[in-house]
Amino acid sequence: AVVAHVVASGVGFVEDLDESFKENRKDDIWLVDFYAPWCGHCKKLEPVWNEVGIEMRNMGSPVKVGKMDATSFSSIASEFGVRGYPTIKLLKGDLAYNYRGPRTKDDIIEFANRVAGPLIRPLPSQHMFEHVQKRHRVLFVYVGGESPLKEKYIEVASELIVYTYFFSASEDVLPEYVTLPELPAVMVFKDGTYFVYDEYEDGDLSSWINRERFQGYLHVDGFTLYELGDTGKLVAIAVIDDKNSSVEHTRLKSIIQEVARDYRDHFHRDFQFGHMDGNDYINSLLMDDLTIPTIVVLNTSNQQYFLPDRHIESTEDMVQFINNILDGTAEAQGGDGLLQRIKRIIYDAKSTIVSVFKSSPLLGCFLFGLPLGVISIMCYGICTADTEGEVFEHEGAKKESGDRELTDEGSEEEQEEEKNGKYTELSDGELKQKDLMEKKED
């Protein structure tokens, strides 16, 4: 009851925003939830949002927390680029940052504190560096003075601050095990090691940071897999049941972890590794029923996937499978071609119908039975009308043909009378001729 009262009182820490917000917001930093009253996801977020408001106020954050009914103030929502509900944005001056992470209190608060703070955070000492490294699993660091690389680093940070932290440090602040080929340099620290950005091998700095912002091994869910699509990497996943402690499930997960750790230098530029709990999401993605435990490699850029052609028994088998994918000898399945798109439409339609009937059979009968019934009646009416029209047309044509025959040739009685008339005329002529001959003879 106490918790419920505290959460309910959190409404006071979340401001209801109206049309005046557009003019009054510029002097403050705002974390805003744009919602719709009828949206189920928005209602689910509401208690979490109240907790965010309480926490931000209690920690003395300069970020103000608010919410706006995007359906009532659609012009303002449209100006901020709101396209769906709920949409979470941090508004800082003229900039608006979209939140795309999990909708949990801790994740939202971390996002707000990260984006609201300095774009590039300095690390003045080794002690501070160690403290930050313990807090963050992935961190990017610029080392050196003013340079075109630093300008590019700041530009990329302004774009990708929504995902990760950006720091700067001098060379003497770095751990002793770090060696740099040259300065200035951009580095990423993760997985207990570090990687140095190389423009010739890694390409554009923004693309490299976007690829390296994840740990080498992850617990992958649907949201994480969607985010990994921006990295351009192939995703090697052990699809297992976390609740199943059998040898096979544990073994496949361990194989993926070992490859991610021991072959990091070989594969980290091209592969992301992890495991997924259950096969429901992966089945819907591949439009296939995968038997777990299994291993699948996804190409999120073109929706292709690779399945091993033989059982993965060891780390060496997994490495060989990955090398086959890289050299093109492994068979790719799926893709985004025309046939796959048609298959996707059919699969999604089938899944929707099945889910509706499973959740509510009566609703399914009403939604799908009623339209089918109306269509059937319409088709029956059209077919019946065509058949009757053909009968009437046939009878009309037959009648017209009969009339034409009577008009051209006449009836049998008329023809008989005509013959009789001719016979009568010929008989009278012969009689007259006979009379005339008799008179001549006389």
Side-chain angles (χ1 to χ4, degrees), residues 182-194:
E182 61 180 0
L183 291 178
V186 176
M187 314 168 62
V188 59
F189 289 83
K190 64 177 183 178
D191 303 326
T193 186
Y194 68 96

Side-chain angles (χ1 to χ4, degrees), residues 401-411 414:
S401 176
D403 292 342
R404 188 182 302 114
E405 290 178 0
L406 292 176
T407 303
D408 294 340
E409 299 181 2
S411 65
E414 290 175 346

Side-chain angles (χ1 to χ4, degrees), residues 45 86 88 98-108 110-111 114 162-163 213-214 221 223-224 226-227:
L45 177 64
I88 299 173
N98 288 326
Y99 175 70
R100 298 176 181 174
R103 291 166 185 167
T104 64
K105 182 192 74 172
D106 293 338
D107 288 309
I108 294 173
E110 184 188 7
F111 162 80
R114 181 172 66 247
V162 294
Y163 299 120
R213 61 186 175 91
F214 294 98
D221 55 16
F223 173 79
T224 307
Y226 174 79
E227 289 294 309

Side-chain angles (χ1 to χ4, degrees), residues 204-267:
D204 180 65
L205 178 63
S206 177
S207 300
W208 178 77
I209 291 177
N210 198 36
R211 289 196 305 270
E212 298 298 332
R213 61 186 175 91
F214 294 98
Q215 290 178 274
Y217 182 89
L218 297 170
H219 181 185
V220 180
D221 55 16
F223 173 79
T224 307
L225 194 58
Y226 174 79
E227 289 294 309
L228 288 172
D230 295 334
T231 66
K233 290 185 177 183
L234 298 174
V235 186
I237 303 174
V239 185
I240 62 173
D241 183 357
D242 275 337
K243 298 178 181 179
N244 191 325
S245 57
S246 66
V247 175
E248 185 67 10
H249 288 257
T250 306
R251 185 177 60 81
L252 285 183
K253 181 179 177 180
S254 299
I255 288 175
I256 295 292
Q257 289 175 328
E258 290 175 9
V259 173
R261 181 186 67 246
D262 300 338
Y263 293 84
R264 181 185 294 111
D265 294 338
H266 296 84
F267 299 137

